[in-house]
Amino acid sequence: MAILTMYPDDERLEGANRTAFNLYVVTAVALFVLMMLLGLAMRMSQATWINVAPDLFYRLLSMHGAGMVGTTALATTAVMWFFLRKYVQLHLWALVANYVLFLLGALCIIVAVFAGGYGALWTFLYPLPVQSVGLWSPNAAALFMLGYLLIGIGMLLFYLDAAAAIIRVHGNLGRALGLQWLFGGTIDPDHPKAVVAGTMVIIANSLGILAGAVVLVMSLINVFYPQMALNALLAKTLIYWFGHMYINATIYMGVIAVYELLPRYSGKPYPISRPFIWSWAVSCLFVIVVFPHHLFMDYVAPHWLLVTGQVVSWGAGFPVFLVTAYGALTNIYRSNMRWTMPSRLLILSMFGWAAGIVPAIVDGTIRINQVMHNTQWVPGHFHFYLLLGVLPMALALMFHVIGRRATAPPNSGTDRIGFPVYLVGGLIFALAFLDAGRLSVARRMAEHLPAWTFTDKIGSIGAILVVLGMLYFAIRIAVGLLRPPAPASGGPRDRAANTAG
Amino acid sequence: MIPQNVIWTIALIGMGLVALGFIHVIVQAGKPADDAATRKAAHTSNVLRRWLFAALLITFVGGTYATLRPFPIPLQYAPLDAQQVVDVVGQQWSWQITPATVHTGGVVEFRVTSKDVNHGFAIYAPDGRIAIQTQAMPGYTNKLLYTFTQPGTYKVMCLEYCGLGHAPMTSEIRVVAAKGD
């Protein structure tokens, strides 16, 4: 009979490890609240409840996009580090370097947006950053891109350290992914899922960050030497190759929390399997080549590339539905599930991911994209799986960690109110976006037609609830992290952990 | 039949099925099974997964074929021989559309480009829904084919963020009934 320990000793956070983890978490939850407030202001402005001038709106939109993507990466990097360090020897300097470079990069972006007036969005789509019609200077655009470069370098350092650590233990990245078991052989039951997922992220997102670095450097050269013009389609391709993989990597880092924590709360083992290994191998390939779905409306792009984008977008649903979400549901079915904040958030994250990719896959169809591209259908689907999928993955670990430090598992009365507020708000918010997509409401517009404001108002109500829920989570987590660590194993919480065979 | 409504219905059905699956399992999550029931549930789960795989595979193959044949984007590097040709140039923050009047029934070829940054050329039907769109990209000309079936005033909006004047960057295309319609 295997024993599923709720708080194993090798996950204890002490000394510098604890400080680093706390810095990541507190920074992330604080930034989430701030970025959500920016989002709320924009939705309320579209709803005509408040007035945000267009120039400020587009600056807020740039900050919100860059800030949310970066913060989600920060939070899920903490998830990956927290679990991966149990299986391979990670260096704390890499984690800290990533944090410091993130802060420096964030500072550059904040100055570029709020002091320099940068408003060319998080996608810095060439040549808009250098064609602002006087709204911001080339220096502001350059500072924004420099911020990205710093954040990317930090992430790459973390990945390189993790890759080296994984190779030291498993020989190479292919074996860490479990490719030796794709077609046969006895799978090592102790091969950690965190290593499989972490390896996939390292491979895919390192490529993405390198693509981003190439286009950022090219764009920076163009800022200072405008005569060195770029090819707009090539620049767009590289930007979306980078952007798509960067944000998708957050899902794959975050889901490690589900693999690690869910069986502890359900009391049922969640073993590695051949479908799991297939799923991650396929996902690794798919996430690298799926980006052409961002180019569907660029008709001059090679049509084989666009077909690839559609076929892979649809195919990407297989591993999510058949392995990850289905596996999680199988794990909790007829289990002795303990419904506390971490377990609620874990299941929510699986639902948010699985349900959220439905409209994403639908939009990954060329024929549908012709009427849905750049409508609010797009923020509808990505807010669905980020707000109700990825964020709950990271929040689940955060609540789990504060549970170790508290006198009781995180399941207070206010938790039981905060969770549905966040859930209902998130659903209203995302579905309002999707319905607006049905009505052809354009995304990324400061001024909306009168016929569009109804869904803006509904979305704003959802956003208010989400902000309230997240504000509560942020305070609860920050306060919980400040508690001193609980004694080593053998305490009452460990004895209360589920056991199963 | 409005395409956007069909798309919304498909997405709602998909998300609804996912939600039903989760609700069914969550309801059962607090009712632990004994060893025999656990083994039976595991077997049922594997069978269900195979059926789900088969259903997804059929949807994947059938849907891919149905949505890519005929290919929804015209050839870009060959003459299209459309009955009407409209040149479209986007520039911060206005559209130059020549001619701005077309007639129903005949295929219209839009040749869309940009003089400065990326724009999105979207044609909104009189009912307020997007009829068709493509990107206006500097250095490239995207060719778009569309056949108008209803006369009226079609609004053109920019759907790719292009700076401060993005939202007001609009224009119109007048569609008149063809002779004999």
Side-chain angles (χ1 to χ4, degrees):
Chain A
M1 176 177 285
I3 296 175
L4 297 166
T5 307
M6 185 64 82
Y7 299 115
D9 282 344
D10 55 3
E11 284 181 6
R12 289 184 72 80
L13 288 165
E14 286 168 345
N17 279 345
R18 183 187 174 202
T19 305
F21 181 81
N22 286 1
L23 280 173
Y24 265 74
V25 170
V26 172
T27 306
V29 294
L31 286 177
F32 276 134
V33 172
L34 289 174
M35 295 302 119
M36 282 179 181
L37 285 171
L38 299 188
L40 174 62
M42 288 185 287
R43 287 303 272 150
M44 289 179 71
S45 176
Q46 289 173 331
T48 65
W49 284 346
I50 61 171
N51 182 29
V52 178
D55 64 329
L56 178 60
F57 182 96
Y58 294 123
R59 284 154 66 193
L60 295 184
L61 187 55
S62 303
M63 189 67 242
H64 176 79
M68 275 302 189
V69 171
T71 307
T72 308
L74 187 78
T76 51
T77 299
V79 173
M80 177 168 156
W81 172 84
F82 183 87
F83 293 111
L84 192 60
R85 70 196 166 107
K86 296 193 297 177
Y87 310 110
V88 298
Q89 183 71 43
L90 299 178
H91 292 104
L92 191 63
W93 64 260
L95 185 74
V96 173
N98 180 42
Y99 181 78
V100 171
L101 285 166
F102 175 87
L103 287 189
L104 288 173
L107 188 63
C108 289
I109 291 168
I110 290 167
V111 172
V113 170
F114 291 109
Y118 174 86
L121 308 190
W122 86 278
T123 46
F124 61 99
L125 199 57
Y126 174 85
L128 185 59
V130 288
Q131 301 226 17
S132 70
V133 197
L135 280 176
W136 61 86
S137 67
N139 287 339
L143 190 61
F144 185 88
M145 294 178 200
L146 177 66
Y148 268 26
L149 269 179
L150 291 172
I151 292 172
I153 291 168
M155 185 70 100
L156 209 50
L157 279 176
F158 174 75
Y159 286 156
L160 288 174
D161 179 60
I166 288 170
I167 290 170
R168 277 196 295 273
V169 174
H170 296 278
N172 58 54
L173 295 179
R175 292 188 68 78
L177 265 178
L179 300 184
Q180 67 277 24
W181 298 311
L182 275 180
F183 297 101
T186 305
I187 299 171
D188 176 2
D190 294 324
H191 192 75
K193 290 182 174 179
V195 168
V196 176
T199 304
M200 180 274 211
V201 169
I202 289 165
I203 293 170
N205 206 21
S206 296
L207 287 173
I209 291 170
L210 287 173
V214 169
V215 71
L216 282 166
V217 170
M218 284 164 55
S219 298
L220 278 168
I221 291 171
N222 173 257
V223 168
F224 297 109
Y225 300 96
Q227 65 274 27
M228 295 184 73
L230 309 186
N231 179 307
L233 185 57
L234 174 65
K236 184 176 182 179
T237 303
L238 288 168
I239 286 169
Y240 280 108
W241 198 28
F242 147 72
H244 184 91
M245 271 196 281
Y246 195 83
I247 191 61
N248 271 264
T250 65
I251 307 176
Y252 297 114
M253 291 193 284
V255 77
I256 295 172
V258 179
Y259 294 138
E260 288 276 346
L261 297 180
L262 191 60
R264 302 183 202 175
Y265 288 90
S266 69
K268 277 167 75 174
Y270 196 2
I272 194 165
S273 63
R274 212 175 308 279
F276 175 89
I277 288 168
W278 266 101
S279 147
W280 279 88
V282 167
S283 294
C284 185
L285 177 66
F286 279 8
V287 79
I288 292 170
V289 298
V290 76
F291 71 92
H293 64 210
H294 293 283
L295 306 175
F296 283 164
M297 292 305 102
D298 296 293
Y299 290 3
V300 289
H303 288 180
W304 62 264
L305 193 69
L306 305 183
V307 171
T308 304
Q310 173 168 329
V311 170
V312 176
S313 296
W314 283 38
F318 280 76
V320 178
F321 290 128
L322 290 171
V323 179
T324 309
Y326 198 88
L329 290 179
T330 305
N331 183 264
I332 67 167
Y333 183 74
R334 300 295 301 271
S335 68
N336 191 18
M337 191 70 176
R338 298 169 55 163
W339 289 112
T340 57
M341 279 301 279
S343 55
R344 283 191 203 105
L345 287 162
L346 291 169
I347 294 304
L348 171 62
S349 76
M350 288 288 92
F351 167 73
W353 189 11
I357 67 163
V358 172
I361 290 172
V362 168
D363 194 35
T365 310
I366 297 171
R367 205 174 285 277
I368 290 174
N369 203 250
Q370 286 176 319
V371 294
M372 288 303 198
H373 183 75
N374 276 350
T375 67
Q376 288 197 335
W377 187 268
V378 184
H381 70 65
F382 71 67
H383 276 96
F384 203 117
Y385 61 70
L386 292 176
L387 207 53
L388 298 175
V390 182
L391 198 47
M393 292 173 188
L395 289 171
L397 172 64
M398 296 171 191
F399 270 99
H400 177 78
V401 168
I402 67 170
R404 179 171 201 148
R405 293 175 184 170
T407 54
N411 192 30
S412 66
T414 42
D415 288 343
R416 289 195 292 273
I417 295 171
F419 178 81
V421 166
Y422 181 85
L423 168 61
V424 172
L427 284 173
I428 293 172
F429 179 68
L431 290 172
F433 264 144
L434 290 170
D435 192 41
R438 178 181 69 86
L439 298 169
S440 295
V441 177
R443 70 185 292 208
R444 295 171 170 163
M445 262 190 197
E447 302 129 296
H448 273 188
L449 303 174
W452 292 353
T453 54
F454 177 73
T455 50
D456 297 333
K457 287 170 181 163
I458 299 295
S460 297
I461 292 168
I464 290 168
L465 294 175
V466 169
V467 170
L468 288 174
M470 187 63 216
L471 182 63
Y472 168 71
F473 292 161
I475 294 168
R476 177 91 161 91
I477 289 165
V479 171
L481 285 178
L482 295 176
R483 291 174 187 273
S489 62
R493 285 168 304 285
D494 291 318
R495 283 199 296 272
N498 280 313
T499 60
Chain B
M1 189 168 61
I2 297 171
Q4 284 91 342
N5 289 353
V6 177
I7 295 163
W8 177 230
T9 305
I10 292 169
L12 274 183
I13 290 171
M15 289 190 289
L17 288 173
V18 172
L20 284 177
F22 272 79
I23 290 167
H24 170 72
V25 172
I26 287 168
V27 167
Q28 302 292 328
K31 303 171 183 171
D34 58 25
D35 286 349
T38 301
R39 277 194 296 276
K40 188 182 172 193
H43 174 73
T44 309
S45 164
N46 282 332
V47 172
L48 272 178
R49 174 144 57 182
R50 287 190 197 110
W51 279 106
L52 183 59
F53 176 72
L56 288 178
L57 194 61
I58 290 167
T59 308
F60 175 79
V61 174
T64 300
Y65 184 84
T67 56
L68 291 178
R69 300 270 301 187
F71 195 64
I73 296 171
L75 290 172
Q76 299 293 304
Y77 301 103
L80 295 176
D81 299 326
Q83 292 140 307
Q84 305 167 88
V85 175
V86 175
D87 289 310
V88 179
V89 181
Q91 187 173 12
Q92 287 169 319
W93 292 288
S94 64
W95 292 105
Q96 184 184 320
I97 301 172
T98 318
T101 301
V102 295
H103 57 76
T104 57
V107 179
V108 183
E109 176 189 337
F110 291 94
R111 296 173 180 167
V112 183
T113 189
S114 166
K115 278 188 179 173
D116 41 40
V117 300
N118 291 285
H119 301 278
F121 173 71
I123 302 173
Y124 277 69
D127 68 356
R129 307 295 181 92
I130 295 170
I132 194 74
Q133 66 171 306
T134 187
Q135 290 272 296
M137 178 176 272
Y140 290 92
T141 300
N142 286 311
K143 294 181 185 174
L144 168 67
L145 291 182
Y146 190 72
T147 303
F148 293 92
T149 56
Q150 297 294 324
T153 300
Y154 288 66
K155 189 171 185 178
V156 171
M157 296 191 78
C158 180
L159 281 198
E160 186 65 60
Y161 171 67
C162 56
L164 187 61
H166 171 54
M169 186 175 163
T170 61
S171 187
E172 286 179 355
I173 294 172
R174 194 163 151 258
V175 179
V176 296
K179 286 176 184 170
D181 277 9

